[in-house]
Amino acid sequence: METYIQIIANGLMLGALYACIAVGFSLVWGVLNVINMLHGSFIVLGGYLAFFAWAQLGVSPFVMLFVVAAALFLLGFLIQYGAINRVVSKPVLLTLTLTFGLDLILYNFMNVVFEATPRRITLDLGSLGIGEVMLPYDRLLAMLLALAMTGILYWVLRSSRIGRAIVAVRMDRDAAALMGIRVNKVYAITFGISAMMAGACGALMAVVYPITTNTTGLLLGKAFTICVIGGLGSVPGALVGGLALGLIESFAGTWLGAQYAILIGSLLMLTLLMVRPTGLIGKRGYE
Amino acid sequence: MNLNKHLARLLPLVWLACAGGAGAADEVRIGAPLALTGSLADAGKKQQAAFALWQERVNAQGGIQVGARKLPVKLVSYDYQSDERRAQQLAEKLITQDKVDLMTAPFGSGHAKVVAGVAERYGMPIVAVSSSEPVHNQGYRNLFGTLAPSVGLVDAMIGHFKQNLPALKRVAVLGRDDVFPRIMATTLEKQAPAAGLEVVYSALYPVGSMDHSAALTSLKAARPDWIYVTGYTQDLILVRKQMADLGISAPVVTMITGPAYREFVDGLGPLAEGVTSATWWHWSQNNTGDDVFGSTAAFTEAIRARTGGDPDYVHASSAAALIVLQKAIEAAGSTDRDAVRAQLAKMDVQTFYGRIKFRADGMNDNRELPIIQVQSGKPVVLYPAAMAQGRLQAIGQ
């Protein structure tokens, strides 16, 4: 029985981390209809900033989280405002190509400056033991952060002025513009929020995972899979998708063997694309 | 008159072209695709540092003796960005456009295999700095590798651990489903029963795994007293961290080849303590040889001066690859591919790296491979006895 509880706990904690990775990606995809190829690099950049602040200046990653979030928001805002906004209303392939190119620049910049050496913040916090079941504190923190980020985003989108503007732009860009919303600014803020979340997630991940530029593609792939499973353009969908993928990988890894965990997750994505293309909680008709 | 004027203008160009052509013939050109960026950049840079050091030393002595002449060495290298396809394209370019005389293969069995395939097509002798059995079982005639067979690493570990901890009975194997880590995992699984070890858990995790908690939960239930994990540094750091998170330990924890790299110890901090591994070379060896470095100590000092850190097997194996190419050229008296290949095949030399003698499949037939353990934050040699710096310490005892 305790083994099953451990498997579920493993799945939920992994899922929360997956959700943390995917929330920002989903937001940009949902609002801007941009598949942001920079997302994995943003997460890794956040991790590097947190690592170097810890290694060189002794700043705790949990404090640095906020600094990284602010820095990445600014970077995301500027990238959207200065580059992506110029092509945002063009076909999706064009924005995809642009973010791909920008990602190559950021990826290679990090390779040159930080090198690809795997680095980790060795701040092992230990685990909460309940009987035989072990819950690592850093994973629990990641889980709380993912839930908090999703909750805040949900609140911002539903209740704040900027959130309503973002939702309005998502629903009808032209009508929103006619209502006086500065669409380009809303786009830039949305992209900034996405980068901010990626950066915060990266800072937290540096405590758990070795940070290396090698993982940018892997993180992007995970974000993509989670959005397809949870539902495109849906922020709660990212949370549901992340948790579902985490649980499936955990059970598949235990029952079928580690080599099948990723395969089963990919099969789930393909099955959903065939039988429920909107994802688990995505809205029909959303484009 | 006009024609003469034009010819006069062209003369310097003609002279330059001739000088360039003559220069190209007056040097030994060695091609080296290197992973200077991307996932293997760490190892690629070590390879580059060792290559540059060797080149400096050789050229300071006037170059390589080719027949009656001493020719300087030129390393022609490109960054293939840890991208397999780019490595393949650049290997072609080195052979067909840059006209290199001989080649080295990049770090890692996967990429070495691809580049060796290109070299084989052109009949180009190539020395790999880190290639395992699956690279050498392709029947390539031109491929030689400075690393010893993986089975040697596994046998040495089983023997040493059983001798020091006879109570070891149950081994759990978790390996990355990739060229070198897979062969190391399956080799242990195959060799363990003969030494009286029961394999109580065995699994391969796919490339791109971001979590090992599912596998480790199953592994924990099997209650092993030897946990044996293979993978690349970032996988091993994550596995070790998750083992601690899930409260998993065993008297012996082996991570192939984690402790051989400084970044493994740095990335784990106190969690690296007690982790064992086997490696192909360690700076505390006391080899001497007739090469540009002369001894392990001299090579170690040179790398420390250049990089600020201790060398690992990647540095040493890379320098050894160029030393054997130099020896083969000198013995052949030319850079002719067939002559150099023949000399490599019968090579038997003592170097700072140890003895190098290639088997029929091109692997280095060296058997005395060091076993190391992280003790007080540093890798310490446990075996062979001649270079031992400490004794095996069981974790948690």
Side-chain angles (χ1 to χ4, degrees):
Chain A
M1 186 61 194
E2 278 179 332
T3 305
Y4 282 100
I5 297 172
Q6 183 71 63
I7 296 169
I8 292 169
N10 290 343
L12 288 175
M13 284 182 291
L14 176 63
L17 205 67
Y18 281 169
C20 185
I21 290 169
V23 160
F25 184 74
S26 174
L27 182 72
V28 164
W29 196 343
V31 176
L32 278 70
N33 199 25
V34 168
I35 299 171
N36 178 20
M37 303 294 281
L38 278 157
H39 195 74
S41 293
F42 280 157
I43 296 173
V44 170
L45 179 62
Y48 274 127
L49 292 177
F51 172 82
F52 284 107
W54 171 79
Q56 315 265 329
L57 307 169
V59 181
S60 159
F62 302 106
V63 174
M64 198 58 196
L65 192 88
F66 298 100
V67 181
V68 169
L72 265 287
F73 175 84
L74 192 65
L75 178 67
F77 184 93
L78 292 174
I79 287 176
Q80 178 70 33
Y81 207 79
I84 306 174
N85 267 350
R86 294 169 193 274
V87 293
V88 75
S89 54
K90 298 279 191 301
V92 72
L93 196 61
L94 199 65
T95 53
L96 183 93
T97 311
L98 176 61
T99 57
F100 178 72
L102 290 169
D103 182 54
L104 282 181
I105 295 170
L106 181 57
Y107 171 82
N108 282 302
F109 170 79
M110 290 193 294
N111 252 338
V112 171
V113 176
F114 306 127
E115 301 184 339
T117 307
R119 293 184 170 95
R120 190 177 72 91
I121 297 172
T122 53
L123 200 72
D124 297 308
L125 302 175
S127 299
L128 173 68
I130 305 169
E132 285 282 301
V133 179
M134 305 297 278
L135 305 171
Y137 284 118
D138 43 28
R139 296 268 178 143
L140 282 174
L141 264 172
M143 191 171 173
L144 288 176
L145 185 83
L147 291 171
M149 287 206 306
T150 313
I152 292 168
L153 242 189
Y154 193 70
W155 178 82
V156 165
L157 291 179
R158 285 186 73 88
S159 309
S160 73
R161 201 175 157 79
I162 182 68
R164 301 317 295 163
I166 289 172
V167 172
V169 170
R170 179 172 71 179
M171 291 170 80
D172 192 328
R173 173 194 151 99
D174 296 330
L178 287 171
M179 296 298 116
I181 294 172
R182 289 159 73 186
V183 173
N184 279 353
K185 201 172 162 190
V186 168
Y187 279 160
I189 290 172
T190 309
F191 201 85
I193 292 173
S194 166
M196 178 182 83
M197 289 180 161
C201 178
L204 201 72
M205 279 183 70
V207 180
V208 182
Y209 289 95
I211 293 291
T212 158
T213 46
N214 189 18
T215 53
T216 56
L218 178 67
L219 294 166
L220 179 68
K222 283 287 177 204
F224 189 85
T225 309
I226 293 158
C227 285
V228 172
I229 292 174
L232 301 183
S234 157
V235 171
L239 185 69
V240 172
L243 291 175
L245 186 64
L247 282 169
I248 285 162
E249 286 191 5
S250 184
F251 275 101
T254 310
W255 286 342
L256 303 174
Q259 58 268 56
Y260 297 106
I262 293 181
L263 178 71
I264 300 294
S266 304
L267 282 177
L268 172 73
M269 183 181 81
L270 286 175
T271 311
L272 275 173
L273 277 174
M274 283 190 290
V275 301
R276 194 178 160 84
T278 53
L280 291 173
I281 60 168
K283 289 195 177 81
R284 184 173 289 277
Y286 174 75
E287 191 184 353
Chain B
M1 183 65 191
N2 262 351
L3 186 65
N4 284 344
K5 209 170 159 185
H6 285 306
L7 279 176
R9 279 181 183 164
L10 281 173
L11 267 176
L13 291 176
V14 173
W15 179 81
L16 271 177
C18 291
D26 281 346
E27 61 189 13
V28 176
R29 294 166 68 81
I30 297 176
L34 295 173
L36 298 178
T37 52
S39 60
L40 295 175
D42 237 27
K45 286 185 173 164
K46 288 174 186 173
Q47 205 178 344
Q48 185 188 37
F51 281 4
L53 199 59
W54 172 85
Q55 186 188 18
E56 276 171 25
R57 298 248 171 153
V58 169
N59 284 342
Q61 294 175 358
I64 297 180
Q65 191 72 42
V66 186
R69 293 192 303 165
K70 260 201 165 176
L71 299 181
V73 179
K74 183 175 170 63
L75 285 174
V76 187
S77 69
Y78 294 107
D79 175 16
Y80 73 91
Q81 300 172 348
S82 306
D83 178 342
E84 194 174 283
R85 277 168 301 177
R86 201 173 298 241
Q88 198 167 13
Q89 289 162 358
L90 289 172
E92 288 265 6
K93 181 178 183 320
L94 283 164
I95 299 169
T96 58
Q97 291 175 33
D98 298 312
K99 311 275 185 209
V100 295
D101 298 305
L102 299 159
M103 274 184 72
T104 61
F107 174 85
S109 288
H111 296 171
K113 195 171 186 174
V114 167
V115 171
V118 176
E120 187 68 18
R121 268 210 310 280
Y122 290 94
M124 166 72 72
I126 180 165
V127 182
V129 305
S130 79
S131 48
S132 54
E133 283 87 335
V135 187
H136 287 268
N137 65 8
Q138 306 293 305
Y140 292 158
R141 287 173 57 242
N142 292 280
L143 174 66
F144 301 87
T146 41
L147 292 192
S150 315
V151 69
L153 293 177
V154 174
D155 284 345
M157 271 186 302
I158 292 176
H160 187 73
F161 294 165
K162 280 294 281 181
Q163 187 189 350
N164 284 274
L165 296 171
L168 280 188
K169 289 272 184 291
R170 301 162 66 80
V171 60
V173 183
L174 179 63
R176 176 177 157 121
D177 198 0
D178 206 347
V179 184
F180 170 70
R182 186 173 48 229
I183 186 90
M184 289 301 287
T186 51
T187 303
L188 183 96
E189 217 180 316
K190 212 181 326 171
Q191 308 285 96
L197 287 161
E198 183 191 353
V199 180
V200 291
Y201 176 84
S202 172
L204 292 172
Y205 58 90
V207 176
S209 292
M210 282 189 63
D211 186 78
H212 301 283
S213 50
L216 290 171
T217 302
S218 306
L219 183 150
K220 186 182 185 180
R223 283 189 250 282
D225 40 30
W226 182 9
I227 298 172
Y228 177 91
V229 189
T230 72
Y232 293 117
T233 304
Q234 70 209 54
D235 306 310
L236 299 176
I237 290 175
L238 183 58
V239 171
R240 183 69 192 94
K241 160 84 173 79
Q242 292 203 285
M243 278 172 62
D245 286 345
L246 295 169
I248 301 171
S249 190
V252 181
V253 175
T254 300
M255 299 199 144
I256 302 291
T257 53
Y261 300 97
R262 193 172 51 200
E263 49 272 25
F264 172 84
V265 181
D266 291 347
L268 276 171
L271 287 179
E273 204 58 25
V275 177
T276 48
S277 180
T279 184
W280 291 269
W281 179 88
H282 193 267
W283 55 264
S284 64
Q285 284 176 255
N286 50 3
N287 305 316
T288 52
D290 176 26
D291 56 70
V292 287
F293 299 105
S295 69
T296 309
F299 176 76
T300 301
E301 271 317 303
I303 287 288
R304 279 179 184 152
R306 190 175 197 97
T307 67
D310 291 336
D312 61 33
Y313 80 87
V314 182
H315 294 104
S317 177
S318 302
L322 291 175
I323 287 170
V324 291
L325 277 178
Q326 177 187 0
K327 297 273 178 205
I329 294 169
E330 285 173 352
S334 81
T335 54
D336 175 73
R337 293 174 187 177
D338 292 333
V340 172
R341 188 189 311 111
Q343 289 302 328
L344 283 168
K346 61 181 180 189
M347 171 97 29
D348 186 357
V349 288
Q350 282 293 343
T351 69
F352 82 91
Y353 175 74
R355 187 181 178 196
I356 300 175
K357 182 180 190 306
F358 296 113
R359 307 192 309 187
D361 64 0
M363 293 198 86
N364 184 10
D365 200 12
N366 183 2
R367 289 276 159 178
E368 284 282 273
L369 301 170
I371 297 170
I372 53 176
Q373 181 175 39
V374 180
Q375 294 179 6
S376 305
K378 281 196 175 295
V380 164
V381 178
L382 309 176
Y383 172 90
M387 53 185 282
Q389 299 166 316
R391 290 178 58 81
L392 175 67
Q393 292 176 2
I395 294 174
Q397 283 172 25

